Structure formats: structure tokens, C-alpha cells
Amino acid sequence: GQQLNQSPQSMFIQEGEDVSMNCTSSSIFNTWLWYKQDPGEGPVLLIALYKAGELTSNGRLTAQFGITRKDSFLNISASIPSDVGIYFCAGRNYGGSQGNLIFGKGTKLSVKP
Amino acid sequence: EADIYQTPRYLVIGTGKKITLECSQTMGHDKMYWYQQDPGMELHLIHYSYGVNSTEKGDLSSESTVSRIRTEHFPLTLESARPSHTSQYLCASGGSMGYTFGSGTRLTVV
């Protein structure tokens, strides 16, 4: 089945630093999504991308839909302690997997004050 | 306000008991999903539904079962809980913008 490779697996950064994480796939996706999961909660949608090359920002977060439609990245600028959590990328290809989202394995972010 | 609700949030139960985890959504979504997740780990799809009377098994084999008698309701049942079922169970419903997740049920089987 389709798989997403998300990296890095975990990050330990200092408050104020910028963060970058990415996802790659062997298949083309029509949609890329980025979620954040706080400890003990369900994932929450941060950014949705629907067009190749699309660059979208949400506050300190910026995500891009790769031009090849096989990758996406998420950047967080000037990290703060509440950025701690697990970030999941997800992709969707309506032509395969019956339109279900395929999730990456997550990037665990730790921020030192 | 449109949302998705899971109950209970936490459940500690003895081995062999039958349990049902509840999930309800008010968004009118046809697609609903159950994921199993160990703390800090990846999401594993165990069941999904594309509408009333539709249920499918996900990528991860699970001893649980699901039903979809009403659009808004997608409960998950374990007939005989075992310690290996200890995990977090997340319910989600799918719209055009992606999935909306519930807060999860943290299940501990002792």
C-alpha cells in the first residue's frame, strides 16, 4: 500500500529556533495536510494544501505542496514551548486507497525553554 | 457547533470484560474512522465506514468490531478485553477539508 516517509522522527530544539520537517511519497497525492497532536488529545488540522506548488501560512507555520506532488514540508518559525507535540503529515489520492488519508509516522517536537 | 465526541475519555477495565467506545459527530459526514495509537507513536487505521451499514477493516488487524446504524454514530466494541488492547483509540470523521478527530479514549486493560 501507499506509504509516507516523514522526517525527522524527533527533534529537540531551543525556544526561538526555526523547525523544518517533511514528508515524501512514492505516489502522487492530490491533497497534503499537516496535523498537530498535543499530549492526550486527538490530532488537529493545521494546514491543508490542494495544489502543486502551493505555499500556505498559518501564523508562524508555513507549509508547501511539492511541485512533483510527491512531497510536502512544514516550517515553524521562532518556536515556543506550546509547539511541543507530534506533527503528522497526511496525503490523499482520490484515485487510490479509496480516498482515505495516508498518515506519516509523525515528528515528535520537544522545545527547551 | 459541529464537532466529534468520544466517550469515555479514560477507561480502566478488567480482562475479559466487554466494552464499547462511543463516537458521535454532528458534522453530517458519511466517512468515519477508528485509529489505534500507542503513546507518542504512529496512527494505525483499524476500521472505517463510508456511510450507514458500511464498515471495513483497516490496515492494522484488530479484534474489535464496529457498527454504523446511524450517520452520526460509529461505536467500537471489544467483546473480551485483554491487556494487549491497552492503547489510545481515536475516532475521526472525514469531510472535504480532511479529517476531524475526537479527543480519544485511553483504554487500560488490567
Side-chain angles (χ1 to χ4, degrees):
Chain A
Q2 292 176 308
Q3 287 190 328
L4 291 183
N5 296 311
Q6 184 171 351
S7 65
Q9 204 170 7
S10 61
M11 303 182 74
F12 296 85
I13 63 167
Q14 202 75 34
E15 182 176 359
E17 289 183 355
D18 295 343
V19 172
S20 185
M21 59 191 79
N22 68 82
C23 267
T24 60
S25 168
S26 57
S27 305
I28 289 173
F29 284 118
N30 298 320
T31 301
W32 282 98
L33 304 166
W34 286 92
Y35 286 83
K36 183 197 177 195
Q37 184 178 28
D38 289 327
E41 297 292 331
V44 173
L45 182 64
L46 297 174
I47 291 180
L49 303 157
Y50 300 106
K51 284 193 324 186
E54 180 181 356
L55 184 72
T56 297
S57 293
N58 178 6
R60 294 179 295 106
L61 278 58
T62 301
Q64 183 158 31
F65 192 142
I67 198 74
T68 65
R69 295 166 64 192
K70 291 184 178 181
D71 62 337
S72 177
F73 71 74
L74 175 71
N75 286 344
I76 306 172
S77 62
S79 58
I80 58 179
S82 62
D83 290 334
V84 163
I86 304 175
Y87 292 80
F88 290 99
C89 64
R92 170 186 277 154
N93 179 348
Y94 285 102
S97 68
Q98 300 166 309
N100 290 341
L101 287 178
I102 309 297
F103 282 87
K105 294 185 177 182
T107 295
K108 198 176 304 185
L109 179 64
S110 300
V111 179
K112 291 181 287 187
Chain B
E1 182 179 326
D3 212 335
I4 183 164
Y5 306 95
Q6 286 189 249
T7 56
R9 282 295 307 270
Y10 303 94
L11 180 62
V12 181
I13 200 161
T15 298
K17 298 291 186 184
K18 177 180 178 179
I19 58 170
T20 296
L21 308 184
E22 301 289 347
C23 177
S24 295
Q25 51 102 357
T26 59
M27 293 169 282
H29 290 159
D30 287 324
K31 295 182 180 179
M32 294 189 73
Y33 305 85
W34 276 102
Y35 287 84
Q36 185 175 340
Q37 182 189 35
D38 291 329
M41 303 298 286
E42 63 187 287
L43 302 165
H44 292 288
L45 180 66
I46 52 174
H47 297 285
Y48 60 98
S49 167
Y50 285 160
V52 171
N53 295 326
S54 151
T55 60
E56 303 285 347
K57 291 190 180 297
D59 305 318
L60 180 69
S61 175
S62 174
E63 293 167 346
S64 59
T65 59
V66 292
S67 62
R68 190 86 184 275
I69 298 171
R70 303 195 319 263
T71 298
E72 62 271 22
H73 194 213
F74 191 39
L76 180 145
T77 298
L78 275 166
E79 291 291 334
S80 179
R82 295 210 301 264
S84 61
H85 296 140
T86 293
S87 190
Q88 170 153 273
Y89 293 83
L90 290 161
C91 180
S93 72
S96 58
M97 289 284 289
Y99 297 173
T100 301
F101 284 86
S103 297
T105 294
R106 177 69 60 87
L107 173 67
T108 303
V109 184
V110 297

